[in-house]
Amino acid sequence: MSGPLTLFKEKHIRYIQSLDTRKHNFEYWLTEHLRLNGIYWGLTALCVLDSPETFAKEEVIEFVLSCWDTKCGAFAPFPRHDAHLLTTLSAVQILATYDALDILGEDRKIRLISFIRGNQLEDGSFQGDRFGEVDTRFVYTALSALSILGELTPEVVDPAVEFVLKCYNFDGGFGLCPNAESHAAQAFTCLGALAIANKLDVLSNDQLEEIGWWLCERQLPEGGLNGRPSKLPDVCYSWWVLSSLAIIGRLDWINYEKLTEFILECQDEKKGGISDRPENEVDVFHTVFGVAGLSLMGYDNLVPIDPIYCMPKSVTAKFKKYPYK
Ligand code: ZN
């Protein structure tokens, strides 16, 4: 195999910049329903590449605030859309990255917290919005957002942890909901939720071993990682699987060299950006998870990323840790 062997940092920075931070050009970013997530992915990739100033901070913050949904009291993906937990987390992550959470003000913050808590169901799970789609992604999303805001409480955490544990499968993986097939993205959301809640010790050592095995078996002979058995490798799993292994202290169960090579082969040598697998079209989602994966493996002095929050460690180090046991 003869692929590119270095990370084209400058090209990736220019690629993300080309997605444009100017407000009137946000139309060209992905699709409207992902807009705020897209900005979070772009900003986080730029942070890992040590170039956050590539985005105009004031304009990004202004756009985030323009996505506030007054009716629901949370953030929508785009102005005048409906609020959702996923975009609310992106908004909180962007503001926290810029150390600008104060701009929310007390009233908005109170409504935001009540929106997040209000989406928790009796079994401890969360729905993404009032339309009721439920899965472990939203448990992670809610816990992460509340944690960044410093507003996690046992009333929210304890039932959420109980729900997460019901999603653990005997093969060592986690599903979208109890009894659902194991999937690598759910390993991240479940282990991330437990880590944020300071409750990783609810898992026994045997369980941690099994989880580690299920995760490291995601690496295929070509070096890339897949999300479930017998699926193709995909760069975004470099994040979901590696972060999960990092959270349980077993990152070195993966062959770094082969995975690094796979990620680097997914770069677009001309215009920058990273795709899901070699030769495919690049996008900002796979770009951030590609560079974040490389950062976790300590590649080339990339800025260290926090495996639990998927934000720069320099930012998450300032978060108030959940104090309860
Ligand atoms: Zn993918």
Side-chain angles (χ1 to χ4, degrees):
M1 237 186 304
S2 66
L5 287 170
T6 56
L7 181 68
F8 303 126
K9 285 188 192 175
E10 286 308 318
K11 282 187 177 151
H12 298 323
I13 291 167
R14 276 203 296 279
Y15 164 71
I16 296 163
Q17 188 174 31
S18 77
L19 301 172
D20 214 331
T21 58
R22 278 171 298 157
K23 204 169 152 195
H24 60 275
N25 270 337
F26 274 139
E27 283 80 39
Y28 302 110
W29 272 84
L30 306 170
T31 47
E32 279 191 8
H33 72 284
L34 283 173
R35 201 63 41 85
L36 210 46
N37 301 91
I39 296 168
Y40 156 71
W41 294 327
L43 177 62
T44 303
L46 289 173
C47 287
V48 172
L49 295 165
D50 203 14
S51 189
E53 69 289 348
T54 303
F55 278 178
K57 174 177 167 179
E58 300 308 325
E59 287 175 20
V60 172
I61 292 176
E62 193 188 322
F63 179 76
V64 169
L65 293 179
S66 75
C67 293
W68 178 254
D69 171 357
T70 316
K71 199 166 69 241
C72 298
F75 288 98
F78 197 76
R80 290 173 301 282
H81 284 222
D82 290 327
H84 192 281
L85 262 184
L86 292 174
T87 43
T88 292
L89 173 61
S90 290
V92 168
Q93 287 170 314
I94 294 165
L95 294 178
T97 300
Y98 282 132
D99 199 12
L101 280 170
D102 286 347
I103 208 162
L104 285 174
E106 266 315 291
D107 288 354
R108 251 189 308 221
K109 193 176 163 191
I110 289 166
R111 292 199 65 198
L112 192 56
I113 293 159
S114 108
F115 170 85
I116 302 169
R117 289 183 182 154
N119 277 305
Q120 190 167 28
L121 306 177
E122 245 168 57
D123 62 357
S125 66
F126 280 83
Q127 54 187 4
D129 58 21
R130 65 202 154 82
F131 300 111
E133 196 192 353
V134 173
D135 71 54
T136 47
R137 266 184 314 164
F138 305 134
V139 176
Y140 171 81
T141 308
L143 262 52
S144 178
L146 287 173
S147 161
I148 295 169
L149 294 165
E151 297 290 342
L152 271 184
T153 55
E155 293 73 28
V156 170
V157 165
D158 294 348
V161 167
E162 236 173 89
F163 178 78
V164 165
L165 290 178
K166 285 191 201 132
C167 300
Y168 177 71
N169 292 322
F170 287 111
D171 61 5
F174 289 88
L176 272 171
C177 54
N179 306 313
E181 186 193 1
S182 295
H183 192 288
Q186 269 55 56
F188 167 75
T189 55
C190 290
L191 294 169
L194 293 177
I196 288 169
N198 197 16
K199 293 275 193 297
L200 276 173
D201 57 4
V202 296
L203 297 166
S204 70
N205 253 334
D206 285 350
Q207 282 173 320
L208 291 173
E209 288 287 294
E210 272 176 288
I211 294 168
W213 275 110
W214 189 88
L215 288 167
C216 76
E217 280 167 0
R218 305 278 60 76
Q219 188 160 35
L220 300 165
E222 60 262 54
L225 309 173
N226 65 12
R228 305 172 267 169
S230 18
K231 295 284 174 186
L232 290 170
D234 180 330
V235 159
C236 62
Y237 293 105
S238 311
W239 176 257
W240 311 121
V241 174
L242 281 185
S243 59
S244 300
L245 285 166
I247 291 170
I248 61 167
R250 286 160 174 81
L251 195 52
D252 58 353
W253 286 23
I254 287 291
N255 182 322
Y256 284 10
E257 206 177 315
K258 295 195 81 170
L259 177 56
T260 300
E261 197 178 318
F262 176 79
I263 297 173
L264 295 179
E265 275 166 1
C266 294
Q267 301 180 100
D268 185 320
E269 282 188 59
K270 289 202 187 74
K271 70 172 182 187
I274 298 175
S275 56
D276 57 352
R277 58 188 70 96
E279 311 302 335
N280 283 358
E281 191 55 39
V282 300
D283 59 63
V284 67
F285 177 83
H286 291 92
T287 303
V288 64
F289 291 122
V291 295
L294 291 172
S295 164
L296 277 183
M297 292 188 285
Y299 179 86
D300 195 20
N301 294 321
L302 290 172
V303 171
I305 187 133
D306 188 317
I308 300 168
Y309 290 96
C310 195
M311 295 169 71
K313 274 190 171 167
S314 56
V315 173
T316 64
K318 292 182 229 153
F319 296 166
K320 217 166 43 175
K321 298 288 174 275
Y322 181 62
Y324 307 100
K325 251 307 178 198

